[in-house]
Amino acid sequence: MNILSIAIKEIKQDFRDRRTILFMLCFPIVLMLILGLALTNAFSSEVSIGDVKVVVKDATGGGPLSEAFAAFTKEVGKMGVTFEPLKPGMDGREEVENNRYADYVELTNQGISMYGSSRDAIESNIVQGMLASFTDKYNATATVASIEPAKTEMVLASGGSDYIKESSVDPNRTPGSIDYYALAMTVMVGMWAAMAAGGLIQGEVSRGTAVRLVIAPIRKSEIFAGKILGGLVSNLLCVIVIIVFSKYVFKAYWGHHMGIVIIVLISEVIMAMSFGLAGSYLLKGAASRGIISLVVQLLSFFGGAYFPIGDDSGGGVMGFLVNLSPIRWANHGLTQVIYGNNVSAAWPVVMLNIGFAVLFLGVSIFAMRRREGL
């Protein structure tokens, strides 16, 4: 009962503080709107690609490879990729250099060679992917071709429609600027629980109420648990308000697995609370909250809260800092859950958060027991 009473007191105290409402709710919502509108064009994923023309030189003199490639070009021609034979007197590489064709392909008895254009990297990558798929199919049907060469074309053509395959829950759904910042701001606010947790004990000391709590007929463990529970509920309520506001006012997309999303965010808030408590015990003094706040803002910056950070963030110090941020873990995992229907991507994030929460809570409990008072 004491734990519940302390938790309710913490919740009331948090929401009576206007700075809490302004900082935890108004600021991220306004920032979400400003960044979402200002960076709309940066999230545009519409790329227009016309017909792709490829020039081909067949030096095999006929045979299984030539027949299979003819079946391949017939199928991919339906998808807007045209393979044209190299005419006498033409130089395939010069044709590509002069931007008349996207790629130049040579067929020989030793295999297939491709010369791509650096001007049309996207088209070249498309052709390269198709050729890789064709090569896999050709190798897989080599046994059939050696037994009944006449059936080679039929075998390859039977699967010709899957040289390009799009696989997604909603192939047309990609995160827009509002979608991205709705998720990023929500995850960032979850991490802000560390700053609030940093003041749970230090606040009692600065207000002079820590002594009263110690001499009251309440165990330290009850005070500790009640404060954590109250702070956890307060921060989760702020996170849920931002989700609901972004979903129904800004029309941000949150996918079809809200339960999994909430579980990930709960684990993040627990970890952030534990981190803030451990920091307040280890750093001590009024300066601890400032240091915790600085660390949280750095984690937000490197975690992609203010601008997108791709998977190819690189190595070195920058790559290390990016991958060290819990905000990065949550953003990456939740993006896969929301846009890729990959629910399993959430569990490593949850386990990491809970693991670090246990570690930080252990440090806090150890430090608290060694103190006289809170």
Side-chain angles (χ1 to χ4, degrees):
M1 193 65 183
N2 289 331
I3 294 175
L4 188 60
S5 298
I6 294 172
I8 293 173
K9 171 258 180 188
E10 288 294 327
I11 296 170
K12 290 180 178 179
Q13 182 175 301
D14 285 339
F15 285 99
R16 283 172 181 168
D17 188 353
R18 295 180 181 178
R19 290 176 297 179
T20 300
I21 303 299
L22 181 65
F23 186 67
M24 298 290 286
L25 293 178
C26 298
F27 177 71
I29 288 173
V30 172
L31 194 61
M32 185 193 311
L33 179 62
I34 293 173
L35 292 176
L37 294 178
L39 300 178
T40 300
N41 294 332
F43 289 81
S44 177
S45 60
E46 296 182 0
V47 179
S48 178
I49 300 176
D51 293 337
V52 181
K53 295 173 64 178
V54 183
V55 61
V56 182
K57 179 182 178 181
D58 188 351
T60 60
L65 178 58
S66 182
E67 293 176 7
F69 195 79
F72 162 72
T73 56
K74 181 179 178 181
E75 289 297 324
V76 299
K78 301 174 184 177
M79 300 177 233
V81 181
T82 305
F83 287 82
E84 299 180 1
L86 184 68
K87 297 178 181 179
M90 291 175 58
D91 187 317
R93 297 191 186 189
E94 288 185 1
E95 294 296 315
V96 174
E97 289 175 1
N98 293 329
N99 207 32
R100 297 191 184 98
Y101 293 90
D103 299 284
Y104 168 49
V105 176
E106 284 186 358
L107 271 66
T108 65
N109 292 324
Q110 286 73 40
I112 301 175
S113 300
M114 172 184 157
Y115 301 90
S117 171
S118 58
R119 299 179 183 178
D120 300 311
I122 295 178
E123 295 180 358
S124 291
N125 288 336
I126 291 173
V127 175
Q128 184 178 3
M130 286 183 162
L131 289 176
S133 179
F134 164 74
T135 303
D136 291 340
K137 284 182 178 293
Y138 179 77
N139 291 333
T141 56
T143 303
V144 175
S146 64
I147 298 172
E148 295 185 72
K151 291 188 177 181
T152 303
E153 181 177 348
M154 180 184 67
V155 173
L156 287 170
S158 65
S161 61
D162 64 350
Y163 287 111
I164 296 180
K165 185 176 182 181
E166 184 172 23
S167 194
S168 176
V169 176
D170 185 357
N172 296 321
R173 166 60 76 172
T174 56
S177 56
I178 290 293
D179 300 323
Y180 176 85
Y181 284 109
L183 175 59
M185 291 297 116
T186 303
V187 173
M188 183 177 72
V189 168
M191 192 64 203
W192 281 356
M195 294 185 285
L200 283 178
I201 304 300
Q202 190 60 41
E204 300 291 350
V205 174
S206 61
R207 287 193 296 268
T209 54
V211 177
R212 295 182 182 180
L213 284 173
V214 171
I215 63 176
I218 307 173
R219 290 177 299 190
K220 277 188 180 182
S221 59
E222 291 179 320
I223 299 172
F224 192 77
K227 282 187 163 293
I228 292 177
L229 179 61
L232 181 64
V233 171
S234 297
N235 284 278
L236 279 176
L237 287 174
C238 291
V239 167
I240 291 172
V241 168
I242 293 175
I243 291 176
V244 172
F245 192 91
S246 65
K247 183 178 178 68
Y248 294 103
V249 178
F250 293 156
K251 305 301 180 183
Y253 183 72
W254 283 94
H256 306 288
H257 303 283
M258 281 305 301
I260 303 298
V261 172
I262 295 298
I263 289 173
V264 173
L265 292 171
I266 289 174
S267 70
E268 185 203 14
V269 173
I270 293 173
M271 186 275 296
M273 292 285 298
S274 306
F275 170 71
L277 273 172
S280 68
Y281 276 113
L282 293 176
L283 298 173
K284 300 179 182 179
S288 62
R289 296 190 68 177
I291 296 173
I292 294 171
S293 177
L294 176 61
V295 172
V296 169
Q297 292 304 322
L298 288 174
L299 292 175
S300 301
F301 178 80
F302 289 112
Y306 302 112
F307 57 89
I309 296 178
D311 292 335
D312 55 343
S313 54
V317 177
M318 182 63 180
F320 174 76
L321 292 173
V322 167
N323 293 313
L324 188 65
S325 173
I327 294 178
R328 167 71 170 180
W329 310 336
N331 273 338
H332 187 69
L334 289 177
T335 299
Q336 294 186 56
V337 172
I338 295 170
Y339 297 98
N341 199 33
N342 184 12
V343 176
S344 61
W347 304 124
V349 180
V350 173
M351 296 305 295
L352 273 172
N353 287 336
I354 297 300
F356 278 107
V358 171
L359 174 64
F360 292 137
L361 279 175
V363 171
S364 301
I365 293 171
F366 178 77
M368 181 187 67
R369 287 180 175 178
R370 297 190 63 181
R371 279 190 181 184
E372 293 182 4
L374 296 178

